[in-house]
Amino acid sequence: MRTLIVTEFITLDGVIDSPGGGDHPRAGWTFKEVPFVEAAYAIKGSEQLEAEAMLIGRQSYDEFAPVWPKMVEDFAEYNAMPKYVVSTTLIDPEWAGTTVLRSLDEVAELKQGDGGPIIVHGSATLAKGLAAAGLVDRYHLLQFPVTLGEGKRLFDGNEQGTLKLVEHEAYENGVVKLVFDVEH
């Protein structure tokens, strides 16, 4: 069985909305409001090297597909690996190596198969659905010393399992890396 990892940039008040850009009034809060410290982002590089597949929702697909394939050096591994998009409306994905899954049941089947970790980027709605269905095995969170008050949140109380902190580190800019395993 494969490990399903949700990775997010998250605020102190639990918002994951528009960390690098988007519709939120304070979109880009990860780089506009917090000084960059390279060490805080090291987990992003290791995720790309360790993952064997990427799973995203339709909105994240629409945001990533036009940009990530052009970022050859930054996202070489992601561009090469199999990508899965959970969508009931996407018909013909243009991002090379992308397969459309129509339901969480299909995600559960993918997870039951052989292979390495599946990484879930962004995709607040998908992450919530995966958690409520008990499909998430691990969370990689970079918590930023920012509060937004409103926006899409990662947790809404419908998640299954207890979280066990397995790794953490604080950085000089106030960002904290938190890695949790989900105990089912």
Side-chain angles (χ1 to χ4, degrees):
M1 177 160 50
R2 302 174 83 171
T3 302
L4 196 142
I5 302 166
V6 171
T7 182
E8 299 285 354
F9 297 114
I10 191 166
T11 65
L12 285 172
D13 57 346
V15 176
I16 59 172
D17 201 342
S18 306
D23 297 334
H24 194 278
R26 287 171 56 195
W29 46 267
T30 58
F31 62 89
K32 290 179 180 176
E33 300 186 31
V34 178
F36 179 78
V37 172
E38 188 172 345
Y41 292 88
I43 190 171
K44 295 298 163 192
S46 64
E47 288 171 347
Q48 192 174 170
L49 294 173
E50 294 170 10
E52 290 190 10
M54 181 170 50
L55 177 67
I56 54 178
R58 175 62 188 267
Q59 183 175 348
S60 293
Y61 173 81
D62 288 344
E63 291 174 9
F64 295 173
V67 179
W68 285 24
K70 296 174 187 170
M71 300 177 77
V72 179
E73 288 185 33
D74 293 330
F75 298 114
E77 288 83 5
Y78 284 138
N79 286 320
M81 73 177 55
K83 291 162 281 300
Y84 298 90
V85 179
V86 180
S87 173
T88 58
T89 58
L90 184 61
I91 303 298
D92 189 21
E94 295 180 17
W95 193 359
T98 300
T99 302
V100 178
L101 303 178
R102 299 291 180 203
S103 69
L104 292 181
D105 289 337
E106 289 185 41
V107 174
E109 289 175 26
L110 175 67
K111 188 177 172 210
Q112 291 298 322
D114 293 331
I118 302 167
I119 195 84
V120 181
H121 275 280
S123 304
T125 302
L126 175 59
K128 283 183 181 184
L130 294 167
L135 295 173
V136 178
D137 298 301
R138 177 172 273 200
Y139 290 96
H140 289 181
L141 306 177
L142 282 182
Q143 185 179 55
F144 284 71
V146 173
T147 58
L148 297 178
E150 61 182 15
K152 295 175 186 171
R153 296 179 186 282
L154 179 58
F155 300 110
D156 62 9
N158 292 316
E159 300 78 25
Q160 293 187 19
T162 302
L163 301 182
K164 178 182 178 186
L165 183 65
V166 294
E167 186 179 341
H168 62 91
E169 189 169 353
Y171 303 97
E172 63 190 70
N173 61 353
V175 171
V176 178
K177 174 178 70 175
L178 301 164
V179 177
F180 294 99
D181 281 346
V182 180
E183 297 180 332
H184 297 285

